[in-house]
Amino acid sequence: MANRSPQPYQPRINNSSSSSSYSSHSDSTQSKIPKASNQIYSNKTSSSSSKTGEFSCRIENSYYEDGDQEPPNLIGTCPFMCPLEERQRRERLRDLAVFERLHGNHAKTSPALAVKKFCRTISSKDMKASDVRPVPVLEDTLNYLLDLLHSSDHPFDVVHDFIFDRTRSIRQDLSMQNVVSDQVIHMYERMVKFHIISYHHLHRSSQTPNTASMSHLNLEQLMKALTTLFSLYEVNRASHSASQNEAEFFSLYLLLHLSPDNQVEPLSLWFRRIPSPVMESRAMSFTRRILRYYRLGNYKRFISTTEEEASYLQYCIVEPYISEVRKLALSCISYGGYKLQPYPVEHLSKILMMKESDVEALSVDCALETSDVGTGKGLVSSKQAVINKTSKEYKKYYELDSSRIRRFVFPVNISASTYIKLNAMAAASGKCLAK
Amino acid sequence: MAAYISMGEAHRRITEYLTRFSDAISSQDGKSLSRLLSVSSDSPALLSLADALNTFQDASRVIRQSERFSQYGDILLHLFRALQSYRLENLVESYMAFEKASNAIVQEFRNWETAWALEALYVIAYEIRILAERADMELASKGKTPEKLKGAGSFLMKVFGVLAGKGPKRVGALYVTCQLFKIYFKLGTVHLCRSVIRSIETARIFDFEEFPVRDKVTYMYYTGRLEVYNENFLAADHKLSYALTHCCTKKEANIRMILKYLVPVKLSIGILPKASLLEKFNLNEYKDVVLALKRGDLRLLRHALEEHEDRFLRSGVYLVLEKLELQVYQRLVKKIYIIQKERDLNRAHQIKLDVIVKALRWLDIDMDVDEVECIMAILIYKNLMKGYFAHKSKVVVVSKQDPFPKLNGKPVNA
């Protein structure tokens, strides 16, 4: 695999507030969202608020003296990926991630390598502008981090952990500064994409307690970032037309909630909030069909439609459901199939889009029998067949036998961030990249 | 806007209100008190008072003049502000003032021993919600984030807490709960209903039967709707049916609201409403859905869903109705079976998949034999059909006894 060293980070030097690239009050192309709720600042986490992404409004021109007047919006001035103070502190404490170490030295870093860590307990009053990175710096930081995604020197876990934490810090800096702009929206979109790619990777990797907890945390942050993104879309909608990518991100949310177990807010209610241009989009049309097939148990169309139409990101989320749907298919066929004629594995491999040997392996995983039927193997029917849902093998995923999907899953010799940038939301037909 | 009134007249009106207010409290007259608090009612009395306040401008002086009034100074000052702002169409100011006034009243309420002031409390709960809704509209129109309704929800939770105790005041809790439901449903934050439902249903403070019928009906309506959204059809059926049977028969609009949710629930458990019911309560959007189920007409179901998509999505029953497809398939196969029985009784129970493909094609639905087999497999698996399918011969063989079991009040197996 390519051993690209990440592009060195060049800090932005001119950080005077007169620079036009900074968000400023007078910049008419950007709007401010009302101050974010104090979720991030206080130690308390009210899960209901963060899930619906609600913001509280500053009370202006009020007759009443409200003790809880929010401080004015912060504008960051830190020109580096990591504030100077923190960098020096962490050098002293030898608290440097492997990517931040200069020549592997546990106690030395540089402005090109150090990235601000996420800090759980920060109150907005204690925050200094010099500790907060302004939007252009945050964007450069994000570019740097996403480039790292393809750095293969280190195992995926390690890379994921680092980017997970540092992008969380980026989101923290962004929300403190309270800006809504196309640039910020695009940053959130890219961070959501990172979480989705991680989601996919983590689901495929062996299920240790460690990956299980990484998976859970990743999903949690994915949802938070996605919820914030939706709020940004909504604020932006008032002043601009809808973002082009909005439809895909709504579809991703829906795909994450196909199963009733995953739903905090009932889907039926969530549907009411979808803006009509999004509803009419191709991404949503695909996703609603997938939802219907899932709910009805139409395993054939669920799999074939996914194979035909899912975009890369949509596929990342749907993949775990494919295993589930295949098992449903085997259950149904085993339950209702003619006892004297085992169902041909060859045909199963066609409708479930998997290699024949994988069909056999999956049957074994599900404690179902196959037998020889002259022309090949067949799935034996048994109304008593009980599929053991708790076995470890049960979670194994078998590749979707499709050249289109294979191109998604094994991108060759390109940096992930380029991949991410290029794999734009436009075609749900799953345009893949040329080498 | 306000007609011209003299300072003297203004003073008179203010004093009159203050007198009524303190009299209502001292004589424990809940009804009179409640009338003095309904800011949004646009009653002539309150409107004329508001004009007087806007003219006089220094009502606090009048309040301070007499001990009888000043003891309620906290309440009255904010209440006056609420009325004034309302009259001047500053809804945000009005809400904020009213919330402060309500807070002060609730503090007094705690000290009043009997439940005489419950009716006034109901008015407060109602007004808090209504004024908050209008304040949010004002905020949204100015491009700001609406958040007053959310605050109203927090306030009413506090009021709920005050009522959740021993003693006669607790019968008021269900009314406040219903106001909370309305708020949470409007905001889309229905998960917040959970804690208050738990308090009503499982905490030992309340006896559900003690509550007024009107509140019980409203409560069951909202909790029934929640069950619909969570697809717990048996619970939804129970609650919405309760609401229906206890709802006053004259309130046709309310009955319609209940039926709007009950009909999809009943359909999901295999019970079809009569066309006359749908007509009587103007629920014609369900007409074609019911017909599709009766006929096994998949095209008609899909068409009905498309035609009324917006309405079904808005009320939140779209996904429930979409799932009825399985029952429509069941009916279609059953019809084929019945036709075959008329031609050849002995072989009717063997249905060629190709015949089903053809039948669907007549309905302009394009499904290949693999997908039909998949649907048959699902129907059998979920016990909508008894029998088996033979892949090689491309045939489904239904059981000779009860091949298409009715749902009979139970939802389709998950």
Side-chain angles (χ1 to χ4, degrees), chain B residues 22-37:
Chain B
S22 60
D23 282 351
I25 295 182
S26 52
S27 59
Q28 301 199 338
D29 183 354
K31 194 151 190 75
S32 300
L33 181 59
S34 64
R35 264 189 245 120
L36 299 171
L37 302 172

Side-chain angles (χ1 to χ4, degrees), chain A residues 283-334:
Chain A
M284 272 315 272
S285 146
F286 161 74
T287 307
R288 286 177 67 188
R289 274 176 289 129
I290 289 291
L291 177 68
R292 192 169 92 224
Y293 300 145
Y294 181 82
R295 284 160 54 83
L296 293 175
N298 188 335
Y299 49 80
K300 183 187 179 281
R301 281 252 182 157
F302 183 91
I303 294 174
S304 67
T305 308
T306 300
E307 194 276 337
E308 251 171 78
E309 296 183 42
S311 71
Y312 171 53
L313 292 175
Q314 288 168 335
Y315 178 76
C316 285
I317 299 180
V318 173
E319 196 181 81
Y321 291 112
I322 292 181
S323 298
E324 189 188 324
V325 169
R326 282 171 171 166
K327 281 158 204 157
L328 173 69
L330 291 184
S331 310
C332 292
I333 290 171
S334 160

Side-chain angles (χ1 to χ4, degrees), chain B residues 5-116:
Chain B
I5 42 176
S6 69
M7 289 299 265
E9 170 63 13
H11 185 273
R12 188 196 65 77
R13 289 186 194 174
I14 295 172
T15 316
E16 187 183 338
Y17 179 90
L18 290 172
T19 310
R20 285 218 201 101
F21 189 88
S22 60
D23 282 351
I25 295 182
S26 52
S27 59
Q28 301 199 338
D29 183 354
K31 194 151 190 75
S32 300
L33 181 59
S34 64
R35 264 189 245 120
L36 299 171
L37 302 172
S38 43
V39 173
S40 72
S41 65
D42 290 336
S43 74
L46 287 177
L47 286 176
S48 78
L49 171 68
D51 288 339
L53 289 167
N54 282 324
T55 305
F56 198 80
Q57 284 295 329
D58 190 14
S60 59
R61 187 160 50 89
V62 186
I63 295 174
R64 283 197 300 271
Q65 273 170 4
S66 161
E67 168 68 29
R68 223 168 52 150
F69 307 150
S70 63
Q71 60 178 317
Y72 305 119
D74 273 344
I75 301 172
L76 291 163
L77 267 169
H78 295 305
L79 199 49
F80 281 171
R81 181 113 210 136
L83 285 161
Q84 280 179 266
S85 306
Y86 183 81
R87 188 73 171 113
L88 298 171
E89 296 186 12
N90 296 329
L91 274 314
V92 176
E93 290 276 331
S94 181
Y95 169 77
M96 281 167 24
F98 190 80
E99 199 196 292
K100 293 196 146 81
S102 305
N103 202 34
I105 296 177
V106 171
Q107 298 310 316
E108 289 292 320
F109 178 83
R110 295 169 94 150
N111 302 328
W112 296 330
E113 288 204 356
T114 65
W116 69 265

